[in-house]
Every structure is written in C-alpha cells, then in structure tokens.
C-alpha cells in the first residue's frame, strides 16, 4: 500500500459484517465449490475481484464487543480487557475513530448492533455522528425520514428525550442477570427482536449510508468547500439470529422450506428460543435442523449482499471509489452445529474466528490478490491509520487530542497489512485469538444445565494460536492441535490417543511444547501492554432506578 501525502488522504469506509463466516461468502470458495453451489455473495465477489482478499483473516475474539475493541485499538483482548458487557474500554487506548478525527477526518457511524451502538462501553469514542438502528428508539439522519422537515425536528426532539430514558434500561438488560434472564423468555423474544430492533434495520441503514456517500461526493467535488476526507464505520448484522430472510432468498437457498412443515416449525420455534442460540448442544442437530440453519443462514447472507450492492454502485457512480479505501471484515462468525456448538459464545474453531477480510483501494492495493498468510483483523487499526497518513512524526496539536505513544506510532507502520502485502509479514503468520466466555450468559445458563457447561468446558477461557497452517487451541489447561491444511474442519485433534501412537509422537510432543511456549510469550506480551489501572466496570443502576425508568417508558405500571 503506497503511502499518501496529506493532500491525497483517502476516504475510509469500514464495513463490518456482524456474524459473517468466511466460508459462506462465495468469493472464499474453491473453483470446485463454485461449480456446485449457488453463489451467496455476487456483489462482494465483484468487490473481491477488485480487492486484495485475505484467505485466513482471524478475529481476535469470538463475539462482538472484544472483537470490535481490538479492531478499534489494534490490541488483543488480553490487553484492552474489554471482554464483558459491563466493562468500558479504558481511555488509555486511543480508538481508530479518535485518531482519524484528530487527524482531520470527519467521522460517522451507521450501526445495527446494540452492543456497539447503545451499550456504554467506549466503542463510540471519536465519532462526531453515530446512528443507531438497533434498540427501542433508533436514530437516523433527518433525510431518512419521509416526513416534512418541521415534523422531523419535532420527532427528533421527542425521540431524543425518550432515548435518554431508554438507553440506561437497554444497557441494564445486557448487564443485569435478572433482566437478561427475563429477556430469554420465549414470550418476550418477539418484543425485543422485532419491536426493539435487536438486529437493527439493514435496509434502512444502507439507504442512509448511500445518501451520506452521495452528499460526501458532492461536497468533495465542490472546489469551494474544504476537501475533508471521511471515515465511515458501518455495522450490519443480517446473518445474526433470529432469521427472517425475505421469501425470494429463502426460495433460492431453501426451496423445500415452503412445503416442509417440520422445517418451518423448527425455525419458528428456534427463533424465539435465544437460549438455544448460545448454549452448547446436548446432542447433535438432526439432519433437517442442521440443513435448515445452514440454508437459512445462507439466505440471510445473500440478502445482505443484495443490499450491499447498492453501496458499491453508489461508490462507482459518484466517483468516490477512486479515492476511498474500502475495508470489508467480520467481527466473528457463527457456529451452526459444528463441534456440538451453535452461536458464538465459547469456542475458537474456524467457523467462529476465521472471517472475511477484503481491502480495496485503487492504485494502492493490488486487485485480485489472495493472501494465504494468517493475519489478525486487529491490524486494520494500523492499516487504516497508515493509509490516512498517520505516521510516527505526525503531530496532533488539538487541545483534546488523545495521547499516542511513540511505540504505537511506530507500530502503525510496522503492523500495517501493507507489510504483509509486500511479502514482509511482521508477525510471520503467527496470530492469536481469545474466547472469554460472556459472564452474564454463563450465569443465565448455569441455572439450567450446569453439568453440560462443565462437560464442554464453557467456564474456561479458550485461546487459539496460529502458526502457518498449524493451530493450537488451549482450553484452560487442555491443549488440542490441528493441521488446517489437511483438516480444515478441525475434526482430528493430533493430540488424540491415535495420533500419539504414531511414529511422529516424539516430534509432535516437541511441536506442542514450542507452540504452548509461544502462546505464553504472546500472552505475557499482551498483558505487559495493559494500562496500570484496572478495567473500568460500568455501574448498573439499582433495581429501584430501573423500575422507575421502565415505568416512565410505559413498560411497567
């Protein structure tokens, strides 16, 4: 990636596809797979042909909050420690949006995930404007409301008043054991999944994004206006449960669904049982259940890709694509029954932490390249800042500019994915991923089936260390080892009894010891970068305060 001067700084469009597995985008399929399967992502496939595609991009964590915190700070979860819903990112870590803002970028977010857009966790720091499409009272640009302007202003003032009341309640549902347990009741699930916009509104957010891009194109083409670049963050979560893809996409990927009552009944029940979205499977899914989840997931992926096509078209017809760096990534994937897990709460298998990563920047990033080296998506922080011209010598003189150590400034240049594109990967294909089990989820589950949680080691922190095609998974004190080149689905643990009985047992033992020592060194390095102060826990309001706020909102008498 060529460095740019201050007058050539690119616009940056960061699109996070929440809960998107890499292997379910057709641009990640082999030629043999393409010949047999219906493409799920023709628009992203087209973008991939104009981009560099990273075949083995690894998320730093298996769920939303820690993974976004890593992409926004460039740090692993063991460093930033924002690994629970009640922890706020330390001000010691300047975020990507903060650094770009103080480097002269305008910063805006279009977010569908309430865990990023509503929770008080520091992930919105640095955004001048941030639109939430999830939650009880979504926010949208005035242009996205079809009512006349005077009514828009009145409605905006009214919803802002109620939003101040509702946000603490919505925060509490993600942090209070009692309220979280209440939210899992099947009778209440339709309320918060549909009426409270759990998945946001993908179509509305993309429509608003297109209008924003058109406005920016007009502004940047006007010689009378300051040519200020923009950083635009977008979070889309269409492939997240519950599943409601439009009928044409269901028909395309699950043609049996309309006529198969058992398939429809299973999905209808599954959609209102969020406990089943997250808990380990007590027994494997039936063939029909596995097929329904897999096919309907693909239908959601295809619907989201269909909507994304308009964004890429907007970039083309406005001319923005010439000077816009587009990064498409996922925060994590999704388990669909593999390894007897569903959802994305506990494990570090490929279906959860191997994610798509595409980088497109004409004239600066090669088109059509595919990079096989494992890379961490935390390095987007360094990559985007370097592309924006943020260098060790850059001086931030604004009064409220975040403090940026010389070490971080140097790391921006060293850890940019530009080094990997040049064949000089600074981490030599060694990547870490960490799964800290969400505490509030564990507490909700242990009352139902603590024995199953114990059997599946759900209380343990899991970590994965990649070294080329070798992958070590450390679950508490228990290791497992996989060769992803010969076993991409991680079905054969090389440390199983059968593997140890082979002639390679001695070398395998040495191999394991070296990887475990490497993991300890990575963790020691990550922990050494922590700030001196402990991570800040967000206070949950008292039950009396919550009852009062819920009464004000009309939820309680």
């Amino acid at each position: 990636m060529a460095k740019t001067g201050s007058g050539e700084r690119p616009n940056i469009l960061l699109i996070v596809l929440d809960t998107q597995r890499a292997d379910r985008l057709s641009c990640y399929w082999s030629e043999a797979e393409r010949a047999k399967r219906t493409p799920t992502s023709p628009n992203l496939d087209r973008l991939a042909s104009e981009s560099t595609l990273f075949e083995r991009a690894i998320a730093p964590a298996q769920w939303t909050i820690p993974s976004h915190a890593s992409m926004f700070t460039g740090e692993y979860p063991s460093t930033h420690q924002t690994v629970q819903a009640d922890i706020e990112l330390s001000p010691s870590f300047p975020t990507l949006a903060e650094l770009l803002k103080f480097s002269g970028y305008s910063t805006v977010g279009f977010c569908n995930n309430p865990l990023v857009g509503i929770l008080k966790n520091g992930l919105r720091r640095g955004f001048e404007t941030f639109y939430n499409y999830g939650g009880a009272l979504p926010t949208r640009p005035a242009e996205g409301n079809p009512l006349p302007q005077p009514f828009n202003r009145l409605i905006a003032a009214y919803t802002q008043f109620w939003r101040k009341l509702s946000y603490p309640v919505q925060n509490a549902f993600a942090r209070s054991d009692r309220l979280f347990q209440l939210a899992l009741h099947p009778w209440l699930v339709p309320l918060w999944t549909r009426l409270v916009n759990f998945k946001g509104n993908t179509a509305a957010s993309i429509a608003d994004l297109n209008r924003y891009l058109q406005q920016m194109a007009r502004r940047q083409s006007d010689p009378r206006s300051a040519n200020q670049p923009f950083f635009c963050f977008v979070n889309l979560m269409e492939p997240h449960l519950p599943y409601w893809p439009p009928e044409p996409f269901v028909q395309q990927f699950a043609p049996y669904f309309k006529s198969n009552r058992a398939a429809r009944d299973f999905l209808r029940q599954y959609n209102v049982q969020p406990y089943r979205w997250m808990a380990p499977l007590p027994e494997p899914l039936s063939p029909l259940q596995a097929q329904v989840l897999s096919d309907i997931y693909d239908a959601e992926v295809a619907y989201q890709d269909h909507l994304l096509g308009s964004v890429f078209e907007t970039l083309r017809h406005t001319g923005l694509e010439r000077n816009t760096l587009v990064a498409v990534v996922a925060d994590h994937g999704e388990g669909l029954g593999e390894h007897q897990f569903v959802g994305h709460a506990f494990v570090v298998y490929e279906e959860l932490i191997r994610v798509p990563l595409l980088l497109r920047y004409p004239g600066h990033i090669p088109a059509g390249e595919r990079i096989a080296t494992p890379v961490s998506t935390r390095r987007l922080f360094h990559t985007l800042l370097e592309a924006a011209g943020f260098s060790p010598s850059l001086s931030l003189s604004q009064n409220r500019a975040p403090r940026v150590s010389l070490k971080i400034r140097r790391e921006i240049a060293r850890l940019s994915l530009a080094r990997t594109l040049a064949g000089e990967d600074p981490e030599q294909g060694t990547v870490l991923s960490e799964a800290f089990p969400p505490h509030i989820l564990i507490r909700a589950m242990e009352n139902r089936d603590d024995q199953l949680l114990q059997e599946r080691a759900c209380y343990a922190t899991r970590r994965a260390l990649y070294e080329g095609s070798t992958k070590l998974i450390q679950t508490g004190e228990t290791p497992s080892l996989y060769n992803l080149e010969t076993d991409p689905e991680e079905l054969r643990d090389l440390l199983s009894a059968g593997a140890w009985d082979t002639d390679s047992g001695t070398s395998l033992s040495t191999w394991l010891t070296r990887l475990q020592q490497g993991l300890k060194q990575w963790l020691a390095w990550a922990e050494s970068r922590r700030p001196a102060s402990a991570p800040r826990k967000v206070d949950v309001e008292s039950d009396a305060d919550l009852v009062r706020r819920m009464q004000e909102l009309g939820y309680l008498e």
Side-chain angles (χ1 to χ4, degrees):
M1 188 186 309
K3 290 187 178 181
T4 58
S6 58
E8 303 172 311
R9 293 184 300 167
N11 302 308
I12 297 173
L13 176 59
L14 172 60
I15 302 174
V16 177
L17 308 178
D18 213 293
T19 322
Q20 177 64 67
R21 294 167 57 136
D23 65 350
R24 296 308 180 97
L25 294 180
S26 41
C27 53
Y28 276 84
W29 297 351
S30 66
E31 290 299 325
E33 287 178 302
R34 287 172 177 269
K36 294 186 297 184
R37 299 170 63 181
T38 302
T40 56
S41 53
N43 291 300
L44 282 168
D45 295 356
R46 191 175 304 111
L47 182 76
S49 69
E50 303 166 351
S51 308
T52 288
L53 179 150
F54 292 83
E55 295 180 335
R56 299 180 62 197
I58 307 301
Q62 89 292 7
W63 71 293
T64 296
I65 290 176
S67 187
H68 274 81
S70 288
M71 288 190 288
F72 286 0
T73 65
E75 304 286 358
Y76 279 120
S78 279
T79 300
H80 62 67
Q81 301 179 83
T82 313
V83 297
Q84 301 296 337
D86 61 350
I87 294 178
E88 185 173 357
L89 181 66
S90 170
S92 301
F93 297 109
T95 67
L96 176 63
E98 282 183 301
L99 295 178
L100 289 172
K101 175 184 175 182
F102 287 107
S103 299
Y105 276 71
S106 65
T107 56
V108 62
F110 296 83
C111 184
N112 285 275
N113 194 322
L115 296 181
V116 179
I118 291 177
L119 287 195
K120 185 183 177 184
N121 51 26
L123 296 181
R124 297 191 303 277
R125 286 202 331 246
F127 286 101
E128 297 166 316
T129 308
F130 201 93
Y131 299 110
N132 283 311
Y133 296 82
L137 292 166
T139 55
R140 294 186 65 181
E143 296 85 351
N145 194 319
L147 294 175
Q149 188 56 38
F151 292 101
N152 281 343
R153 287 195 294 268
L154 288 173
I155 290 174
Y158 177 78
T159 55
Q160 182 65 22
F161 168 76
W162 285 106
R163 194 172 295 114
K164 289 179 180 179
L165 294 175
S166 70
Y167 271 23
V169 174
Q170 294 173 89
N171 272 265
F173 268 93
R175 292 172 172 139
S176 165
D177 289 350
R178 290 174 58 190
L179 292 175
F180 186 77
Q181 294 255 23
L182 178 65
L184 296 180
H185 196 287
W187 288 358
L188 293 178
V189 173
L191 173 66
W192 57 262
T193 54
R194 287 188 180 272
L195 298 180
V196 188
N197 305 295
F198 172 68
K199 290 175 61 167
N201 187 326
T202 304
S205 61
I206 286 184
D208 292 344
L209 171 62
N210 283 328
R211 274 188 289 270
Y212 170 80
L213 293 174
Q214 291 161 0
Q215 290 169 0
M216 291 301 101
R218 289 193 295 270
R219 184 177 303 173
Q220 293 184 358
S221 64
D222 186 347
R224 297 170 297 178
S225 64
N227 192 14
Q228 183 184 30
F230 63 79
F231 167 57
C232 179
F233 161 69
V234 183
N235 174 291
L236 306 175
M237 59 183 304
E238 197 62 38
H240 197 292
L241 279 158
Y243 296 148
W244 306 303
E247 179 61 30
F249 296 91
V250 175
Q251 186 62 30
Q252 185 178 14
F253 291 92
Y256 57 87
F257 192 77
K258 188 173 183 179
S259 61
N260 190 323
R261 181 172 180 177
R264 297 196 309 276
D265 287 346
F266 164 69
L267 186 62
R268 183 175 62 253
Q269 294 168 8
Y270 199 82
N271 272 343
V272 296
Q273 296 174 327
Y275 179 82
R276 295 179 66 184
W277 308 350
M278 304 170 281
L281 294 171
E283 56 187 30
L285 296 169
S286 73
L288 176 64
Q289 292 171 341
Q291 183 179 13
V292 168
L293 287 185
S294 178
D295 292 345
I296 299 299
Y297 178 90
D298 283 351
E300 292 278 20
V301 170
Y303 173 54
Q304 181 170 269
D305 180 82
H306 166 72
L307 295 174
L308 272 171
S310 67
V311 177
F312 306 141
E313 179 59 30
T314 297
L315 291 173
R316 277 190 286 271
H317 78 69
T318 60
L320 279 177
E321 68 174 1
R322 292 191 294 272
N323 192 39
T324 298
L325 193 167
V326 179
V328 178
V329 69
D331 57 346
H332 56 78
E334 181 79 337
L336 297 171
E338 303 92 343
H339 302 98
Q340 291 190 284
F341 282 90
V342 292
H344 46 266
F346 299 111
V347 295
V348 286
Y349 291 115
E350 294 292 272
E351 57 266 21
L352 258 68
I353 61 172
R354 178 180 172 239
V355 296
L357 176 58
L358 310 174
L359 294 178
R360 183 188 184 282
Y361 185 17
H364 300 270
I365 295 178
E369 292 281 331
R370 301 178 77 95
I371 304 296
T373 304
V375 298
S376 173
T377 60
R378 91 188 209 281
R379 289 173 59 190
L380 277 170
F381 172 85
H382 312 89
T383 306
L384 301 182
L385 285 171
E386 184 191 46
F390 197 103
S391 67
S393 61
L394 180 66
S395 174
L396 296 179
S397 59
Q398 291 91 337
N399 292 333
R400 298 179 61 189
R403 296 179 60 187
V404 185
S405 69
L406 183 60
K407 179 190 294 186
I408 292 178
R409 292 170 184 259
R410 289 172 175 166
E411 286 179 347
I412 287 170
R414 187 178 70 84
L415 291 176
S416 167
L417 290 169
R419 307 289 85 73
T420 306
L421 293 178
E424 304 167 356
D425 188 69
E427 298 184 315
Q428 300 179 328
T430 302
V431 180
L432 176 67
S433 186
E434 306 182 274
F436 292 86
H439 290 166
I440 194 168
L441 182 57
I442 286 284
R443 292 192 292 266
M445 289 181 176
E446 61 190 357
N447 295 328
R448 301 179 184 227
D449 202 338
D450 182 61
Q451 182 178 350
L452 181 61
L453 294 179
Q454 297 279 3
E455 290 173 356
R456 301 291 174 80
C458 293
Y459 292 94
T461 298
R462 286 173 162 86
R463 291 183 170 92
L465 182 70
Y466 291 77
E467 190 177 89
S469 61
T470 304
K471 180 179 179 181
L472 167 70
I473 295 180
Q474 190 74 32
T475 305
E477 299 298 320
T478 305
S480 53
L481 193 63
Y482 300 93
N483 183 335
L484 298 177
E485 186 173 348
T486 59
D487 180 26
E489 296 180 350
E490 299 163 289
L491 300 177
R492 182 173 181 266
D493 177 6
L494 297 177
L495 304 182
S496 64
W500 279 111
D501 290 340
T502 65
D503 295 337
S504 63
T506 302
S507 61
L508 196 61
S509 176
T510 303
W511 195 10
L512 172 64
T513 299
R514 181 172 59 80
L515 286 170
Q516 288 183 312
Q517 289 176 343
L519 177 59
K520 289 179 180 178
Q521 291 171 355
W522 269 97
L523 290 177
W525 172 82
E527 291 171 359
S528 72
R529 298 169 64 87
R530 293 175 177 173
S533 58
R536 303 194 306 182
K537 296 199 72 173
V538 178
D539 293 331
V540 177
E541 294 188 69
S542 69
D543 287 347
D545 287 335
L546 285 171
V547 168
R548 176 179 57 79
R549 287 187 180 271
M550 293 180 77
Q551 287 172 334
E552 291 171 340
L553 289 166
Y555 294 141
L556 296 176
E557 296 295 330

